[in-house]
Amino acid sequence: MDNPAPMPHNNTTNNIINIEIAYATPEKQVLLELGLAEGNSVQQAIDESNITQHFPDIDLATAKVGIWNRVCKLTDIPKDGDRIEIYRPLIADPKEVRRRRAEKAKEEGRANKVTGGRAK
């Protein structure tokens, strides 16, 4: 019996990678799975996911994005298995929150390494 000739392997950008797109508010969280053409950007992945149908308030012009908790650019290229995350803006400055918490602990006599401030 004759064996057919092997088909040539195609390593072009037609390969599909599997990624996730994540966004959350305090009330609602969405994690979308998406098959994306290899070589597409983070921006293209977000656009193809249609996540803005769930969250019309997402503004990619101002929102930060990341891959696996690391901030990235919209032009970065995700890899198979990556999770693209869209981050909401902070509602409070973390430094200011820590400073207030340390001041309160100091006033209450609870200042230590964890709460911040110096004990009297």
Side-chain angles (χ1 to χ4, degrees):
M1 206 187 267
D2 290 334
N3 287 334
M7 296 296 292
H9 191 268
N10 188 357
N11 276 339
T12 64
T13 58
N14 293 338
N15 292 334
I16 301 296
I17 61 171
N18 294 309
I19 61 166
E20 296 176 331
I21 309 287
Y23 185 75
T25 65
E27 299 81 29
K28 180 178 176 184
Q29 299 81 36
V30 171
L31 182 63
L32 302 173
E33 294 181 9
L34 178 69
L36 182 71
E38 188 175 34
N40 280 354
S41 68
V42 168
Q43 171 82 53
Q44 290 167 314
I46 293 169
D47 291 344
E48 282 191 37
S49 74
N50 291 320
I51 197 160
T52 55
Q53 289 181 349
H54 298 277
F55 301 99
D57 58 320
I58 293 175
D59 180 9
L60 291 178
T62 58
K64 291 188 184 238
V65 297
I67 297 175
W68 291 112
N69 298 320
R70 295 204 144 155
V71 175
C72 70
K73 298 177 185 171
L74 289 171
T75 55
D76 287 354
I77 307 299
K79 298 186 286 286
D80 190 45
D82 278 349
R83 181 180 65 212
I84 296 171
E85 301 153 340
I86 305 167
Y87 305 123
R88 292 180 290 125
L90 295 175
I91 56 173
D93 177 19
K95 288 182 182 179
E96 180 63 23
V97 171
R98 282 192 301 270
R99 186 184 63 74
R100 280 194 227 136
R101 189 172 53 235
E103 285 176 3
K104 183 178 178 189
K106 191 174 177 182
E107 289 169 6
E108 295 173 356
R110 301 181 295 109
N112 60 32
K113 288 182 181 180
V114 175
T115 60
R118 296 182 189 262
K120 293 182 181 181

